[in-house]
Amino acid sequence: MPQKPILVGIAGASASGKSLLAETLVEELKSEHLSVISEDSYYKDQSHLSMDERVLTNYDHPDAIDHNLMLQHLQMLKQGEAIQVPTYDYSIHNRTSETRTVRPSRVVIYEGILLFVNPDVRKQFDLRFYMDTPLDICLIRRLQRDIVSRGRDMESVISQYMETVRPMFQQFIEPSRQHADLIIPRGGKNRIAMDLIKTKINTLIN
Ligand SMILES: Nc1ncnc2c1ncn2[C@@H]1O[C@H](COP(=O)(O)OP(=O)(O)O)[C@@H](O)[C@H]1O
Ligand SMILES: O=c1ccn([C@@H]2O[C@H](COP(=O)(O)O)[C@@H](O)[C@H]2O)c(=O)[nH]1
C-alpha cells in the first residue's frame, strides 16, 4: 500500500520567513519523514523570452506560476507517487534543465507566496499556515536576501517591490490568509508556534 503523505502549505509575503519555518521543522523533526518544496520551483518556463523581457515578468501574480503542474504533483503525492520538481534559477529568471525527485515522505511541506489563492491547489493541503510578518520587516529582509543570494541590486529590488511585490501582496496574498488554519505572527522564529506545529505534525505522523 503506497504511503499517503500529510501535505502542509506555508504561505505569506515574500521574505516573511516561510523557508525558515520549513527548514526549522526539517531540522527539529525527524528529517527522513519530511520533504520541502518551494512554490518558486513552479515558475513557468521562460526560455522563449530574452533576459530583458524576463525582468518585466510579474513574479507575484498567480499567472506566473504553473499551478496546474503543482496540482498534478500534489495529487500524485497523495496517491503515493514520486514527482519530478522543476528547479528554478533566480539569477536568470528561469527554470534550469534539472529536476529534483521528491518521494512521498510522511510529511511534504510546500512553501510559497500564492499557495492559497487557487482553490483547487489550496484544498489539497491538510494543514495550512500563514506567516503574518509586518511588510516593512519583509522588505528589509528581502533587500538583504536578494542582494546577497539572488544576484540583485538595491535599485532593482526596490523598483520591483513598488511595481509588483507590494500591490500583488495586497491583491492576492493578504486576502488568502483567510484560508489558513493557523496564522503565525512574527515569522519563522516564533517558538510557541513552532512547538504547536511540531506537536500537530507528530500526532499526524504517529
Ligand atoms: N524571524 C526572523 N528573524 C530574523 N531573520 C529572519 C527571520 N525569519 C526569516 N529571516 C531571514 O529573512 C530572510 C527571508 O526569510 P525566508 O525564510 O527566506 O522568507 P520566505 O521564504 O518567506 O521568502 C532570510 O534571510 C531569513 O534568514
Ligand atoms: O525570477 C524571479 C522569481 C521570483 N522572484 C520573487 O520571488 C518572490 C517569491 O519567493 P520568496 O522566496 O517567497 O520570497 C516573489 O515575491 C517574486 O517577486 C523574483 O524576484 N524573480
Side-chain angles (χ1 to χ4, degrees), residues 13-20 111 141 145 186 188-189:
S14 171
S16 58
K18 304 180 297 293
S19 318
L20 183 66
E111 61 82 16
R141 289 185 190 153
R145 182 198 60 193
R186 299 190 305 282
K189 291 189 182 168

Side-chain angles (χ1 to χ4, degrees), residues 2-166:
Q3 182 172 262
K4 189 173 169 242
I6 295 145
L7 299 178
V8 178
I10 305 174
S14 171
S16 58
K18 304 180 297 293
S19 318
L20 183 66
L21 175 70
E23 283 157 21
T24 311
L25 286 171
V26 170
E27 262 170 44
E28 296 189 12
L29 289 163
K30 280 197 180 140
S31 56
E32 74 266 24
H33 288 317
L34 269 85
S35 314
V36 178
I37 300 174
S38 171
E39 186 184 44
D40 296 359
S41 307
Y42 293 86
Y43 275 113
K44 288 178 182 164
D45 182 68
Q46 300 205 102
S47 307
H48 57 292
L49 299 179
S50 68
M51 195 59 187
D52 286 349
E53 289 168 322
R54 288 178 203 169
V55 172
L56 299 176
T57 300
N58 180 349
Y59 294 99
D60 293 80
H61 191 282
D63 288 352
I65 295 173
D66 189 349
H67 279 125
N68 288 333
L69 180 64
M70 187 189 287
L71 178 61
Q72 196 187 326
H73 281 178
L74 287 161
Q75 290 167 335
M76 286 172 72
L77 288 168
K78 278 205 166 158
Q79 285 159 14
E81 292 173 41
I83 57 172
Q84 293 298 323
V85 180
T87 54
Y88 190 77
D89 183 344
Y90 298 95
S91 66
I92 55 163
H93 302 287
N94 205 11
R95 284 184 188 176
T96 70
S97 54
E98 320 264 295
T99 58
R100 176 168 74 100
T101 305
V102 176
R103 299 198 163 74
S105 49
R106 288 297 288 120
V107 180
V108 180
I109 303 174
Y110 272 74
E111 61 82 16
I113 54 174
L114 294 158
L115 288 182
F116 302 159
V117 173
N118 177 313
D120 293 327
V121 169
R122 75 168 169 260
K123 76 177 184 209
Q124 303 300 319
F125 296 111
D126 302 294
L127 297 175
R128 289 188 283 264
F129 303 134
Y130 182 91
M131 305 300 283
D132 196 15
T133 308
L135 263 198
D136 57 342
I137 304 283
C138 295
L139 172 58
I140 292 166
R141 289 185 190 153
R142 179 167 167 136
L143 259 173
Q144 287 175 325
R145 182 198 60 193
D146 283 9
I147 292 167
V148 172
S149 329
R150 293 191 181 177
R152 305 286 298 275
D153 59 40
M154 189 165 90
E155 203 177 307
S156 80
V157 177
I158 291 174
S159 64
Q160 185 190 16
Y161 182 81
M162 295 308 287
E163 281 158 28
T164 56
V165 178
R166 188 169 183 275

